[in-house]
């Protein structure tokens, strides 16, 4: 085995020791013995018995017993003697590179290195639990205190026991790392760094690779990603989202801490070791999002998983950049950056695709009862979820929406962007809502009943406002935008009332005095007929929003019942005196109010009629449900 001193020895340790006498029997002529020779002889006298004792090939005891587990004090002494032997060899080779003492010293050094290789391997292999990346990554007093906070609800004794257990685990891990460091320092300084590194990288890389595999991350080909169903891919993405949290926080961070500790004496070895151990697994982990972004099938819901992956990397960027700050791990950082770039491109494509889908939506499909259209519901769910992603600000900062038609200032005042937390996102979301509103205007024209067209617009715009109010859209669009839309809803609701109920209101005479019984009878009949027809029609419509529903009911009742009550009170006494007018007055004002209270739940149809006068009068007792002025 050739080492830094330029010579090698192929004899076994036992034959070598038999051939050469011990240092105490060396009989060099006194005049020729130099200071370096003397130091070497003295060093070998002390080191040889200890080193030979632990020669794995010299005895069964040394072969099956661990130096560091058997006698830690002797292990420390072993390391010190090897370091002293190496220092003496350096001094001697500089003075007399042909000294026979160097041959014997080199042989002892080989025995020592075999012992330390064995110890290094055993410590790494038998202490996987103590050297688990999660355990290593939490070795700090701060972490210990945070761990104890988990026992905040326990008794003082339990907290003390928990603290002792945590300290015991950390102390054990620190002790193991100190042993590994002392061996690594000794082997590296003695010129056996390559052997040490090989053992370390093989064992630790297997742990990292196993960790990546257990986290459910696998290398995938682009063709496979393009073929599999979205549901299957979605599960893999969910696995990845969990995996990246654990991998960055514990797996890669823990390995970096361990590597920095063990190979603290050499920057180059520390860097090469960490790179060899983690690069392959990290490239697989951070390469997954890029493959998904480039090759997964397009679908409206894809954007949310894309944003989840972008967020997962972006939120951990300081940690990723710090852990892989080495020049040799720059490929990992570059891969993470490439994934962010491709994910951002995918998001922008998906937004444009979503706008295209909205524009392609058929205008002919209308909602029964003038309720909220599924396009409105689905779009606002989509946009309110998008508003939760802060990373959209970075993704859309230089990508304005593709405005094929200029968005009017009356719909979105661009000066409001100055106060927006993310102007680019605000503009995009306002644009997509504008596209939906334009689509709703087109759909409203397909209602044969004009009053339902107005109610349809009121319902759908009210749904838009409700979703904006209850999500982060409120902060992106602003309260002024909401106020303007609410004014539009009131206009649509007012137009609905005017068109749908004007015939009933107009049927009530404005002058209630100086009217004959026959004239009053005819007025009541006309009111009954028009009210029943209108009521029957309006039973079929729906107003899902409770606040809007109540506002419209109260508004109708205020206009209708006030006029009807005045007419009713003025004429019912006279009408009631003559039997020929019996049954003409079908509705008391309270009955009409009760009938109004049943509207806008979409529970009726055109064939449904108002309750008979007797049934209506029975319902008069339900005062709590009556519409009152």
């Amino acid at each position: 085995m050739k080492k830094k001193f330029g010579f090698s020895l192929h004899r076994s340790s036992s034959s070598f020791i038999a051939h050469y006498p011990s240092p105490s029997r060396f009989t060099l002529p006194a005049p020729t013995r130099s200071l370096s020779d003397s130091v070497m002889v003295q060093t070998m006298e002390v080191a040889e018995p200890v080193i030979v004792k632990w020669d794995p090939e010299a005895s069964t005891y040394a072969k099956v017993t661990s130096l560091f587990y058997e006698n830690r004090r002797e292990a420390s002494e072993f390391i010190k003697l090897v370091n002293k032997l190496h220092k003496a060899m350096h001094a001697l080779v500089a003075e007399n590179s042909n000294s026979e003492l160097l041959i014997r010293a080199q042989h002892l050094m080989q025995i020592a290195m075999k012992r330390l290789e064995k110890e290094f391997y055993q410590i790494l292999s038998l202490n996987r639990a103590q050297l688990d990346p999660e355990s290593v990554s939490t070795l700090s007093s701060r972490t210990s205190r945070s761990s104890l906070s988990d026992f905040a609800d326990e008794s003082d004794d339990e907290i003390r026991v928990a603290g002792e257990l945590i300290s015991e685990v950390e102390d054990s891990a620190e002790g193991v790392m100190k042993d590994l460091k002392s061996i690594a320092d000794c082997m590296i300084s003695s010129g056996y760094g390559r052997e040490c590194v090989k053992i370390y990288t093989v064992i630790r890389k297997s742990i990292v690779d196993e960790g990546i595999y257990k986290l459910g991350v696998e290398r995938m080909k682009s063709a496979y990603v393009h073929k599999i169903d979205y549901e299957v891919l979605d599960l893999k993405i969910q696995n990845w989202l969990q995996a990246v949290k654990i991998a960055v926080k514990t797996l890669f961070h823990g390995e970096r801490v361990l590597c920095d500790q063990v190979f603290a004496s050499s920057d180059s070895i520390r860097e090469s070791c960490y790179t060899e151990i983690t690069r392959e697994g990290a490239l697989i982990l951070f390469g997954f999002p890029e493959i998904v972004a480039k090759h997964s099938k397009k679908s409206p819901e894809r954007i949310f998983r894309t944003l989840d992956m972008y967020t997962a990397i972006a939120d951990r960027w300081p940690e990723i950049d710090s852990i892989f700050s080495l020049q040799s791990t720059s490929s990992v950082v570059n891969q993470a950056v490439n994934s962010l770039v491709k994910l951002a491109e995918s998001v922008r494509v998906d937004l444009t695709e979503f706008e295209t889908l909205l524009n392609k939506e058929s205008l002919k499909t209308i909602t029964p009862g003038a309720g909220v259209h599924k396009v409105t519901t689905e779009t606002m769910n989509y946009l309110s979820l998008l508003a939760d992603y802060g990373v959209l600000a970075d993704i859309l900062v230089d990508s304005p929406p593709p405005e094929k038609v200029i968005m009017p200032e009356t719909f979105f005042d661009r000066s409001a962007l100055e106060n927006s937390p993310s102007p680019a996102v605000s503009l995009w979301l306002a644009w997509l809502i504008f596209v939906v509103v334009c689509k709703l205007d087109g759909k409203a024209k397909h209602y044969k009943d004009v009053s339902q067209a107005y109610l349809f617009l009121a319902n759908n715009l009210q749904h838009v406002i409700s979703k904006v109010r209850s999500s982060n859209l409120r902060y992106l669009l602003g309260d002024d935008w909401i106020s303007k839309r609410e004014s539009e809803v009131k206009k649509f609701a007012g137009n609905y009332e005017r068109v749908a109920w004007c015939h009933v209101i107009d049927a009530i005479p404005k002058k209630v005095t100086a009217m004959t019984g026959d004239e009053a009878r005819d007025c009541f009949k006309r009111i009954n007929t028009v009210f029943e027809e209108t009521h029957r029609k309006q039973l079929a419509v729906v107003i899902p929003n409770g606040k809007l529903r109540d506002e419209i009911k109260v508004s109708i009742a205020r206009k209708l019942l006030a006029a009807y009550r005045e007419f009713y009170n003025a004429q019912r006494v006279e009408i009631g005196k003559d039997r020929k007018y019996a049954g003409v007055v079908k509705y008391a004002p309270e009955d009409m109010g009760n009938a109004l209270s049943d509207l806008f739940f979409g529970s009726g149809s055109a064939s449904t009629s108002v309750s008979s006068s007797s049934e209506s009068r029975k319902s008069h007792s339900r005062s709590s449900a009556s519409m009152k002025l």
Side-chain angles (χ1 to χ4, degrees):
M1 186 186 300
K2 190 174 181 181
K3 289 299 168 186
K4 63 191 292 184
F5 293 106
F7 44 83
S8 61
L9 188 64
H10 299 286
R11 303 178 186 176
S12 68
S13 58
S14 57
S15 64
F16 190 93
I17 293 170
H19 181 78
Y20 285 95
S22 65
S24 61
R25 296 198 297 273
F26 268 83
T27 55
L28 292 175
T32 62
R33 179 176 292 182
S34 66
L35 176 62
S36 297
D37 285 334
S38 299
V39 171
M40 176 60 76
V41 170
Q42 293 174 6
T43 302
M44 291 177 66
E45 284 181 345
V46 178
E48 184 177 37
V50 177
I51 293 175
V52 171
K53 174 184 175 182
W54 290 101
D55 181 0
E57 298 180 4
S59 67
T60 304
Y61 175 81
K63 189 173 185 179
V64 300
T65 307
S66 169
L67 168 61
F68 278 78
Y69 280 99
E70 183 69 21
N71 191 328
R72 294 186 62 81
R73 182 177 296 178
E74 189 169 346
S76 177
E77 183 66 21
F78 188 95
I79 294 289
K80 290 179 181 178
L81 290 174
V82 172
N83 287 331
K84 288 180 69 174
L85 179 62
H86 178 255
K87 185 177 180 181
M89 292 172 71
H90 257 293
L92 183 56
V93 78
E95 184 177 288
N96 182 11
S97 60
N98 295 320
S99 173
E100 291 186 358
L101 289 173
L102 285 174
I103 300 175
R104 186 172 184 83
Q106 176 64 9
H107 179 71
L108 287 176
M109 184 63 71
Q110 290 178 346
I111 295 174
M113 291 301 110
K114 285 182 180 180
R115 178 77 252 174
L116 292 180
E117 281 184 46
K118 183 179 178 66
E119 294 293 325
F120 198 71
Y121 177 84
Q122 286 182 330
I123 293 172
L124 284 171
S125 301
L126 299 177
N127 292 279
R128 289 176 65 119
Q130 289 88 336
L131 298 178
D132 175 74
E134 184 175 1
S135 301
V136 173
S137 65
T138 58
L139 287 177
S140 68
S141 58
R142 180 180 63 184
T143 304
S144 297
R145 289 193 295 271
S146 67
S147 298
L148 285 175
S149 67
D150 296 337
F151 300 88
D153 297 331
E154 307 296 337
S155 66
D156 291 341
D157 288 341
E158 289 173 325
I159 293 175
R160 178 182 56 76
V161 172
E164 290 174 354
L165 289 173
I166 291 171
S167 298
E168 183 180 339
V169 172
E170 292 187 345
D171 290 344
S172 176
E174 287 181 346
V176 171
M177 286 196 290
K178 286 180 180 178
D179 289 344
L180 290 172
K181 181 181 184 302
S182 66
I183 295 174
D185 288 348
C186 183
M187 292 185 70
I188 291 169
S189 65
S190 300
Y192 287 77
R194 182 178 298 178
E195 288 79 359
C196 180
V197 166
K198 183 178 180 181
I199 294 171
Y200 185 88
T201 54
V202 168
I203 292 178
R204 297 311 300 180
K205 186 177 187 302
S206 68
I207 292 173
V208 170
D209 292 345
E210 180 183 351
I212 293 292
Y213 175 78
K214 286 183 176 179
L215 289 173
V217 180
E218 56 185 311
R219 192 190 301 274
M220 294 196 301
K221 295 183 179 180
S222 56
Y224 172 74
V225 172
H226 186 70
K227 289 179 181 179
I228 61 174
D229 294 335
Y230 179 79
E231 291 75 14
V232 177
L233 181 60
D234 187 58
L235 289 175
K236 292 184 179 295
I237 293 174
Q238 290 183 55
N239 283 339
W240 183 89
L241 291 171
Q242 292 299 319
V244 74
K245 296 178 184 178
I246 299 171
V248 173
K249 183 179 180 181
T250 61
L251 189 62
F252 296 134
H253 175 62
E255 286 301 326
R256 182 66 187 269
V257 171
L258 182 60
C259 208
D260 287 350
Q261 288 280 338
V262 174
F263 297 109
S265 63
S266 173
D267 291 342
S268 60
I269 291 179
R270 183 168 67 246
E271 178 173 343
S272 63
C273 269
Y274 185 71
T275 302
E276 178 67 21
I277 291 167
T278 61
R279 182 166 55 188
E280 183 178 358
L283 288 175
I284 293 174
L285 181 73
F286 294 119
F288 175 84
E290 180 180 3
I291 295 173
V292 172
K294 290 170 65 176
H295 302 288
S296 61
K297 297 175 184 177
K298 293 179 180 179
S299 63
E301 63 270 24
R302 182 183 74 162
I303 192 172
F304 299 109
R305 286 304 184 200
T306 304
L307 286 167
D308 287 338
M309 289 189 287
Y310 189 101
T311 302
I313 297 177
D315 285 353
R316 291 164 183 81
W317 187 254
E319 298 169 84
I320 295 170
D321 192 40
S322 174
I323 294 170
F324 297 100
S325 59
L326 305 171
Q327 184 175 356
S328 57
T329 56
S330 60
S331 59
V332 174
V333 176
N334 292 337
Q335 177 59 74
V337 171
N338 290 339
S339 285
L340 287 176
V341 170
K342 295 303 178 183
L343 289 170
E345 289 176 0
S346 178
V347 168
R348 291 190 286 269
V349 168
D350 287 346
L351 280 178
T352 304
E353 283 288 319
F354 185 73
E355 184 219 6
T356 301
L357 289 174
L358 287 178
N359 284 317
K360 289 181 178 178
E361 171 67 25
S362 173
L363 292 172
K364 295 181 180 180
T365 56
I366 61 174
T367 304
V372 179
H373 199 283
K374 68 173 185 178
V375 170
T376 308
T377 303
E378 292 173 357
T379 300
M380 293 312 299
N381 288 341
Y382 186 88
L383 298 183
S384 62
L385 286 174
L386 282 181
D388 290 336
Y389 288 93
V391 293
L392 269 178
D394 295 329
I395 294 173
L396 300 178
V397 64
D398 295 320
S399 303
E403 298 187 56
K404 298 173 183 176
V405 179
I406 300 299
M407 187 164 46
E409 291 292 323
T410 53
F411 186 83
F412 186 76
D413 186 357
R414 290 174 183 266
S415 63
L417 293 175
E418 297 177 1
N419 300 320
S420 171
S422 177
V425 178
S426 298
L427 194 59
W428 255 103
L429 298 179
W431 165 251
L432 291 173
I433 293 176
F434 178 68
V435 172
V436 173
V437 170
C438 291
K439 185 63 64 172
L440 294 174
D441 287 339
K443 288 181 181 293
K445 295 176 183 178
H446 288 272
Y447 281 95
K448 295 179 181 180
D449 187 328
V450 177
S451 68
Q452 288 197 17
Y454 283 124
L455 189 60
F456 172 78
L457 291 173
N459 276 331
N460 282 268
L461 191 53
Q462 181 61 50
H463 182 78
V464 170
I465 294 170
S466 297
K467 292 298 289 187
V468 170
R469 277 192 176 279
S470 61
S471 68
N472 284 330
L473 288 168
R474 177 172 188 170
Y475 308 107
L476 292 165
L477 298 178
D479 290 336
D480 185 58
W481 186 92
I482 294 175
S483 297
K484 289 179 180 178
R485 303 292 82 74
E486 287 177 334
S487 297
E488 293 172 7
V489 170
K490 289 181 180 180
K491 289 180 182 179
F492 290 138
N495 289 336
Y496 159 75
E497 292 176 32
R498 177 177 55 79
V499 175
W501 294 92
C502 64
H503 299 299
V504 181
I505 296 172
D506 290 345
I508 302 172
K510 302 299 182 289
K511 295 181 180 180
V512 297
T513 57
M515 183 178 290
T516 65
D518 288 342
E519 290 174 335
R521 177 194 59 192
D522 292 342
C523 282
F524 273 113
K525 285 184 176 181
R526 185 167 60 252
I527 292 170
N528 294 339
T529 300
V530 176
F531 178 74
E532 287 177 355
E533 289 178 353
T534 302
H535 185 272
R536 187 165 54 247
K537 284 184 179 180
Q538 301 314 310
L539 277 173
V541 302
V542 61
I543 303 178
N545 183 270
K547 183 174 180 292
L548 179 62
R549 182 170 60 243
D550 291 343
E551 287 177 351
I552 291 179
K553 283 182 180 180
V554 169
S555 179
I556 294 172
R558 184 179 291 115
K559 296 171 184 175
L560 176 61
L561 297 186
Y564 183 69
R565 179 173 281 108
E566 184 180 0
F567 173 69
Y568 175 84
N569 290 336
Q571 302 300 328
R572 67 172 178 168
V573 176
E574 293 300 322
I575 288 291
K577 292 178 180 178
D578 195 330
R579 289 185 177 181
K580 70 177 183 178
Y581 298 131
V584 169
V585 182
K586 295 181 67 174
Y587 305 106
E590 292 78 8
D591 298 327
M592 195 170 284
N594 284 329
L596 290 177
S597 68
D598 294 332
L599 293 177
F600 309 134
F601 292 100
S603 57
S605 64
S607 61
T608 305
S609 62
V610 183
S611 304
S612 64
S613 59
S614 60
E615 291 173 333
S616 296
R617 289 192 175 91
K618 288 179 182 178
S619 69
H620 175 65
S621 61
R622 299 179 298 162
S623 58
S624 60
S626 299
M627 296 299 300
K628 296 182 178 180
L629 293 177

